[in-house]
């Protein structure tokens, strides 16, 4: 139990539901008071929320540290872009195909990688990102190499004769918000199910979990595929939002960002990941003032996160929370 | 045809020596600190920049520049070691990954901030060609192979006979026991880190005349090449690292010539995955230690 849950259980005043409703309401009206750039940052954060949920299932709940999210993010982006550019398929087809493709490719990659111990597994997943980038660069007939794929259409929906296109930042914001909300719900349902309990058991002690009859290998492989699918869906949104993809979509930067969102918010909690993505918006916004110092500040932020807040910033909120509730 | 193959193998041995000197530092750091050092390539870059700075601004001869590059890097390593690396001894794996990624970002972007992001010409070194057994080789390449051998023999002797080396081996086998018998683990960790970073810098300064250009982002590629080497060699295994580095160097050189230059940088991770499917603990370890 987090401190917040504990104090809510003892005092009987749970502020989290009203707070959650307020947050959702705030998210819904955000375009009314946010400027163009903050809204853009919010969209990026909500897009990154999908791969981050995937990574949280893998790292926070199953205990597997993976740097491969950028690879699956890139696969999703390219799948979506290729379908949209070559076949002109509607958005929901591209979106689902991106998730399926990333999840399917995770199967043959996961089988050898998941046999490895912790450190070697981390390295192997990093290798997926490097190799993915090399393929995107060199399979020129398909991916156009370094030039990338441009002019990816904005998301359009077609059902029978009716069709409409999501254009403009505000429209896209609501689309991403809805998808992120659904993804959060799916992640919540997964971790609250018996499967989620088994995942935690694997994280805490894999040998023990195996000995009580949990098929740990199958769990790890399936969670790896689900996390890849989440990353692929995020990549699809990213491609449709920026309308270009290039080999730079396969970058360590994205894996690092997703790690920051998960670990910064607090691995192993759904609300922590949401908080982490908001934190990420705040961080990119705050660092916008000095572009050349941005990456240096980012580095110091990472060090601060590791040494002063090893379980993320979300527990801080929890502490603040219990203070607030005791006050009442 | 045959001549070209031999020539490519020799080139492979040269780059293998470079990788070996970088990777052996990283594998020692891993053995003692149990952390993958994502900033390792950055020390390679710092060493090169130190030497470049000494040559460009003070017009010093190359051998002095080598010393300056390595010493400057060691000084930075003392700071990073004290403030970052010592703290991640015994921390969870993701702490090590994030902290060293943070260090990499800080070092790389500080250098770019101070010196600018453009490519710089490195003018030192011995680039005269000499002829050995009918092959023409630049003197610098021969120097790289010789220094590589000296480093490995020296390390082997140090690890086997010196007090510090024995303590390093002990810490890499069991931290708790070492702490119990009174070995100052943090002190050993700091020294291992400084030696590792210094070796990376040495390797950078040695390669700079061959690569000719120097730029702030050059460390990243080296980190990504070193990672598969240390896993293939078996984490913490010095001799295994040497063999794995040679294999990678030669494989890269052959792939660059016969398959295509653009595939060179993926050889490492592709080979790593093939090797790991066959031997999940690396080429030279009987069982997984980490």
């Amino acid at each position: 139990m987090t401190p917040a849950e504990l104090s809510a259980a003892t005092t009987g005043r749970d502020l989290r539901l009203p707070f959650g409703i307020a947050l959702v309401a705030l998210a819904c009206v955000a375009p009314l008071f946010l400027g163009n750039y903050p809204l853009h940052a919010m969209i990026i954060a909500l897009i990154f929320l999908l791969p981050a949920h995937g990574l949280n299932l893998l790292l926070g709940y199953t205990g597997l540290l993976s740097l491969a999210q950028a690879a699956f993010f890139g696969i999703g982006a390219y799948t979506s872009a290729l379908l949209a550019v070559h076949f002109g398929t509607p958005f929901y087809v591209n979106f689902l195909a991106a998730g399926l493709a990333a999840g399917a490719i995770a199967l043959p990659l996961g089988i050898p990688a998941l046999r490895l111990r912790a450190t070697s597994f981390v390295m192997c997943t990093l290798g997926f990102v490097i190799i993915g980038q090399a393929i995107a660069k060199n399979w020129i007939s398909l991916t156009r190499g370094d030039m990338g794929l441009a002019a990816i259409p904005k998301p359009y929906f077609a059902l029978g004769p009716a069709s409409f296109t999501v254009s403009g930042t505000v429209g896209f914001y609501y689309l991403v918000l809805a998808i992120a909300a659904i993804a959060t719900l799916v992640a919540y349902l997964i971790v609250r199910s018996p499967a989620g309990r088994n995942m935690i058991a694997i994280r805490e002690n894999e040998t023990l979990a195996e000995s009580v009859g949990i098929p740990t290998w199958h769990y790890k492989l399936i969670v790896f595929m689900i996390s890849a699918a989440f990353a692929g869906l995020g990549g699809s949104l990213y491609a449709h939002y920026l309308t270009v993809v290039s080999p730079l979509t396969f970058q360590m930067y994205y894996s690092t960002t997703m790690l920051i969102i998960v670990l910064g918010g607090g691995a192993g909690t759904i609300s922590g990941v949401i908080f982490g993505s908001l934190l990420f918006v705040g961080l990119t916004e705050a660092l916008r003032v000095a572009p050349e110092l941005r990456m240096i500040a980012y580095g110091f932020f990472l060090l601060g996160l590791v040494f002063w807040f090893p379980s993320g910033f979300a527990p801080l909120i929890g502490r603040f929370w219990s203070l607030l509730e005791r006050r009442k | 045809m045959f001549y070209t193959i031999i020539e490519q193998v020799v080139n492979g041995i040269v780059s293998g020596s470079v990788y070996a000197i970088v990777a052996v530092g990283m594998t020692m750091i891993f053995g003692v600190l149990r952390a993958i050092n994502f900033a390792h390539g950055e020390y390679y870059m710092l060493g090169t920049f130190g030497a470049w700075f000494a040559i460009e601004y003070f017009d010093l001869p190359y051998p002095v520049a080598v010393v300056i590059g390595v010493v400057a890097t060691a000084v930075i390593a003392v700071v990073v070691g004290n403030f970052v690396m010592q703290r991640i001894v015994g921390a969870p794996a993701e702490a090590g990954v994030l902290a060293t990624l943070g260090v990499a970002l800080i070092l790389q972007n500080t250098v770019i901030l101070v010196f600018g992001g453009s490519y710089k010409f490195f003018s030192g070194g011995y680039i005269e060609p000499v002829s050995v057994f009918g092959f023409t080789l630049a003197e610098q390449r021969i120097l790289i192979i010789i220094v590589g051998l000296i480093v490995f023999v020296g390390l082997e002797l140090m690890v086997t006979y010196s007090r510090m080396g024995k303590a390093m081996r002990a810490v890499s086998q069991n931290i708790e026991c070492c702490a119990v018998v009174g070995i100052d683990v943090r002190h050993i960790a700091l020294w291992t880190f400084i030696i590792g970073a210094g070796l990376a810098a040495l390797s950078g300064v040695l390669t700079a005349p061959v690569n000719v250009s120097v730029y702030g982002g050059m460390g990243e590629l080296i980190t990504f090449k070193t990672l598969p080497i240390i896993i293939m060699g078996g984490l913490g295994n010095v001799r295994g690292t040497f063999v794995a580095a040679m294999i990678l160097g030669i494989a890269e050189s052959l792939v660059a010539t016969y398959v295509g230059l653009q595939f060179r940088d993926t050889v490492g991770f592709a080979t790593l995955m093939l090797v790991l499917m066959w031997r999940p603990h690396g080429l030279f370890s009987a069982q997984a230690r980490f």
Side-chain angles (χ1 to χ4, degrees):
Chain A
M1 263 192 185
T2 64
E5 279 173 333
L6 203 71
S7 78
T10 47
T11 59
R13 284 195 206 90
D14 193 347
L15 281 175
R16 285 181 301 158
L17 186 67
F19 184 74
I21 292 171
L23 199 68
V24 171
L26 205 62
C28 288
V29 297
L32 292 180
F33 56 85
L34 281 184
N36 226 4
Y37 190 85
L39 199 60
H40 164 80
M42 275 299 288
I43 290 174
I44 298 288
L46 286 170
I47 290 175
F48 284 171
L49 189 55
L50 275 84
H53 272 315
L55 183 62
N56 189 34
L57 292 178
L58 200 58
L59 172 63
Y61 284 92
T62 322
L64 293 166
L65 175 57
S66 161
L67 295 176
Q69 287 308 77
F72 299 118
F73 189 74
I75 289 168
Y78 266 96
T79 309
S80 219
L82 287 169
L83 282 174
V85 170
H86 290 301
F87 302 104
T89 43
F91 170 71
Y92 52 86
V93 174
N94 308 336
F95 182 67
L96 294 176
L100 283 176
I105 290 172
L107 178 66
L109 293 181
I111 289 172
L114 288 165
R115 286 171 59 200
L116 306 171
R117 295 279 290 265
T119 316
S120 308
F121 177 73
V122 178
M123 291 300 90
C124 206
T125 53
L126 174 65
F128 299 156
V129 182
I130 312 263
I131 290 173
Q133 190 177 44
I135 293 173
K137 259 187 189 165
N138 293 313
W139 193 351
I140 291 169
S141 58
L142 185 73
T143 64
R144 304 207 321 144
D146 277 321
M147 290 189 291
L149 296 159
I152 300 162
K154 288 276 178 192
Y156 89 93
F157 293 84
L159 261 179
S163 80
F164 71 98
T165 306
V166 178
S167 57
T169 318
V170 175
F172 204 91
Y173 173 78
Y174 283 115
L175 174 68
V176 176
L177 186 65
I179 290 173
I182 295 169
T184 307
L185 185 67
V186 170
Y188 179 78
L189 290 177
I190 291 175
V191 300
R192 278 300 149 109
S193 70
R197 296 278 154 211
N198 289 348
M199 282 153 61
I200 294 173
I202 294 171
R203 178 189 73 193
E204 294 302 325
N205 190 332
E206 196 179 335
T207 320
L208 189 62
E210 186 134 36
S211 75
V212 298
I214 299 170
T216 54
W217 167 256
H218 294 98
Y219 264 102
K220 288 201 290 186
L221 193 59
I222 290 169
V223 174
F224 189 66
M225 288 170 68
I226 293 175
S227 85
F230 267 102
L233 296 175
S236 168
L237 284 175
Y238 198 62
H240 280 287
Y241 178 59
L242 294 187
T243 69
V244 285
V245 292
S246 76
L248 288 179
T249 321
F250 292 88
Q251 241 188 109
M252 259 300 281
Y253 169 76
Y254 293 113
S255 288
T256 321
T257 306
M258 286 149 205
L259 262 184
I260 291 172
I261 293 177
V262 172
L263 294 175
T269 53
I270 297 287
S271 55
V273 177
I274 298 171
F275 175 74
S277 73
L278 292 176
L279 181 79
F280 171 72
V281 183
L283 188 67
T284 42
E285 274 290 280
L287 296 180
R288 193 157 58 108
V289 284
E292 62 286 356
L293 289 171
R294 212 183 120 185
M295 293 320 267
I296 300 175
Y298 208 60
F300 278 111
F301 172 79
L302 279 179
L303 291 180
L305 172 65
V306 170
F307 294 130
W308 294 314
F309 305 98
S311 47
F313 292 97
L316 270 188
I317 308 282
R319 216 171 299 157
F320 173 71
W321 218 225
S322 32
L323 269 179
L324 206 73
E325 278 168 347
R326 216 163 295 149
R327 225 17 95 69
K328 277 204 155 183
Chain B
M1 172 66 190
F2 181 68
Y3 181 83
T4 341
I5 291 183
I6 297 289
E7 201 177 18
Q8 290 314 317
V9 170
V10 173
N11 279 337
I13 291 173
V14 173
S15 48
S17 306
V18 172
Y19 295 155
I21 305 175
V22 188
V24 75
M26 186 133 144
T27 212
M28 282 166 63
I29 291 172
F30 185 88
V32 172
L33 286 105
R34 304 283 202 285
I36 313 159
N37 183 11
F38 275 99
H40 205 67
E42 259 47 66
Y43 302 105
Y44 174 97
M45 180 269 293
L46 285 173
T48 322
F49 260 88
W52 170 80
F53 186 75
I55 292 172
E56 200 72 7
Y57 289 86
F58 299 106
D59 212 14
L60 292 168
Y62 179 69
V64 183
V66 172
V67 176
I68 289 179
V70 174
V71 170
T73 310
V75 170
I76 294 168
V78 172
V79 177
V80 177
N82 265 314
F83 286 102
V84 181
M85 301 309 278
Q86 280 194 337
R87 290 184 174 205
I88 57 182
V89 179
E94 56 265 30
V97 171
L98 279 190
T100 53
L101 276 172
V103 171
L105 281 175
I106 295 168
L107 293 179
Q108 181 181 335
N109 290 290
T110 307
V111 167
I112 291 176
L113 188 71
V114 174
F115 295 107
S118 62
Y119 284 70
K120 284 148 191 73
F121 178 69
F122 191 94
S123 57
Y126 309 101
I127 41 170
E128 294 299 312
V130 285
S131 170
V132 192
F133 307 120
F135 296 104
T136 352
L137 265 178
E139 286 169 338
Q140 188 71 29
R141 289 176 188 266
I142 299 169
L143 181 70
I144 289 172
I145 297 179
I146 294 171
V147 173
L149 287 174
I150 294 174
V151 164
F152 267 83
V153 173
L155 272 182
E156 198 67 47
L157 291 176
M158 188 197 87
V159 167
T160 323
Y161 297 109
S162 80
R163 222 182 142 72
M164 175 66 79
K166 284 178 186 166
M168 281 174 184
R169 276 192 298 155
V171 172
S172 78
Q173 273 164 19
N174 194 328
I175 291 185
E176 289 79 20
C177 284
C178 286
V180 168
V181 298
I183 295 176
D184 188 349
V185 173
R186 288 167 72 92
H187 179 75
I188 301 291
L190 180 64
W191 272 103
T192 313
F193 177 67
I194 294 168
I195 293 174
L199 286 174
L202 176 67
S203 166
V205 185
L206 284 174
T207 340
V210 179
N211 290 340
V212 182
S213 60
V214 175
Y215 62 102
M218 67 197 280
E220 212 167 87
L221 187 65
I222 292 294
T223 309
F224 288 154
K225 294 215 166 169
T226 318
L227 292 170
I229 293 175
I230 65 169
I231 307 270
M232 260 193 279
L235 287 163
N237 182 337
V238 171
R239 282 179 223 178
T241 305
F242 182 76
V243 179
M246 285 300 165
I247 293 175
L248 183 69
I250 295 168
E252 273 192 356
S253 173
L254 293 176
V255 165
T257 320
Y258 296 103
V259 184
L261 190 64
Q262 71 272 31
F263 293 106
R264 193 180 64 189
D265 296 337
T266 48
V267 173
F269 276 105
T271 323
L272 174 68
M273 275 172 215
L274 291 176
V275 167
L276 288 179
M277 272 192 244
W278 166 51
R279 285 187 67 100
H281 316 318
L283 283 176
F284 307 100
S285 297
Q287 51 163 8
R289 286 175 56 212
F290 302 108

